[in-house]
Amino acid sequence: MRRYTTTGPLSLIGAALAPLVLSAVLLPLRGHLANTNVALLLVVAIVAVAASGHRLAGAVAALSAAVWFDFFFTRPYEQFAISRSSDIVTAALLLAVGLIASQLAAKARKFEVVAITDAGYLTRIHETAARARSANSAPVVVEYVRAQLVDLLQLRGCRFEFGSLLGHPPRLEGDGSIVVGRKVWDTDVLGMPAEEVELRVYGNGRYVGRFLLDPVPGSMPSRQTLVVAVTLADQAGAAIGSLSRTTAAA
């Protein structure tokens, strides 16, 4: 049900090394394999990296492929220089095609995951709503939703605070975006923040508390996953509001 990639150093190092490793494999064939064929094989490596759905890694792989193509397969060899105009065109096309292919592969992967996860997300939301309706106390609802959030977002931890707001941690908004200060945090590039993220909960139109999410730094839940997390928190808020009305009436 989840799509997670990271923008940490290891994933970017791997993206940079993949074209280098392939270039090393192809190097013994340098005098027998046309440079255009080498470029096509490097594009395959770029697409393989981008197929994870990680656009930045795909871009890094495309740049790495162009650099090592220049270094190993264009004259003068083992220098970052190109003497033949045809090789200049091939290197430029390799970079351009690699960047485009990486973006298309990442988008295709994203659409595939969205199609797979929709039913699972709906099931999770339905089960949470049913549990919230049947619960007889606010702490029971909060604990159930807290566990769901940890599982959904693969958090290191999560806690709930009733009452007033303290501090100014990053905030998860209703549209799935994360705001740090007054700026939107780009989770597609930067991953989750390295500090607790606030998810506010409202019941009967009033603020009742907040979940404080402790994400794995660099993890990249999709925007859809973050929207589902907000929906689960809304279920908790609705249940808390309903229980509050019942208690007040009694």
Side-chain angles (χ1 to χ4, degrees):
M1 285 184 59
R2 309 174 187 93
R3 178 178 77 91
Y4 291 99
T5 56
T6 67
T7 54
L10 289 180
S11 79
L12 297 182
I13 291 173
L17 288 179
L20 174 59
V21 171
L22 179 58
S23 295
V25 171
L26 296 175
L27 193 56
L29 303 175
R30 182 166 62 187
H32 308 282
L33 194 63
N35 279 359
T36 50
N37 292 332
V38 172
L40 288 174
L41 291 171
L42 288 170
V43 169
V44 172
I46 296 167
V47 173
V49 170
S52 65
H54 186 175
R55 287 182 174 82
L56 182 57
V60 169
L63 181 59
S64 174
V67 168
W68 296 120
F69 174 78
D70 173 17
F71 188 78
F72 289 117
F73 297 101
T74 67
R75 296 180 185 276
Y77 296 136
E78 281 79 53
Q79 295 184 36
F80 292 110
I82 303 177
S83 60
R84 295 191 300 185
S85 60
S86 60
D87 285 338
I88 294 175
V89 173
T90 301
L93 288 175
L94 170 60
L95 178 59
V97 171
L99 289 172
I100 294 170
S102 69
Q103 299 303 303
L104 292 176
K107 287 183 179 181
R109 175 61 179 163
K110 178 180 179 181
F111 293 149
E112 176 189 354
V113 172
V114 167
I116 292 172
T117 57
D118 278 346
Y121 285 147
L122 290 173
T123 298
R124 188 185 289 269
I125 292 169
H126 174 74
E127 290 177 350
T128 301
R131 182 65 65 92
R133 286 195 300 269
S134 63
N136 55 13
S137 71
V140 170
V141 176
V142 166
E143 175 56 27
Y144 181 80
V145 173
R146 187 199 67 79
Q148 289 290 307
L149 291 172
V150 170
D151 182 59
L152 176 69
L153 300 174
Q154 294 292 281
L155 303 173
R156 294 185 298 186
C158 178
R159 58 193 176 92
F160 187 82
E161 289 184 349
F162 285 97
S164 60
L165 295 166
L166 295 174
H168 302 282
R171 184 173 66 257
L172 176 55
E173 300 285 9
D175 62 356
S177 63
I178 293 178
V179 176
V180 179
R182 295 184 179 180
K183 297 182 178 180
V184 175
W185 181 269
D186 191 347
T187 53
D188 286 338
V189 174
L190 302 173
M192 292 290 282
E195 57 186 304
E196 286 187 320
V197 176
E198 172 186 83
L199 174 53
R200 297 181 182 180
V201 177
Y202 296 87
N204 298 329
R206 297 187 304 169
Y207 171 78
V208 296
R210 62 182 178 177
F211 288 100
L212 289 169
L213 317 174
D214 184 13
V216 174
S219 62
M220 292 181 63
S222 67
R223 177 65 70 90
Q224 184 190 31
T225 304
L226 293 171
V227 170
V228 172
V230 174
T231 304
L232 296 179
D234 288 343
Q235 298 284 357
I240 293 171
S242 177
L243 289 168
S244 298
R245 286 200 307 269
T246 301
T247 302

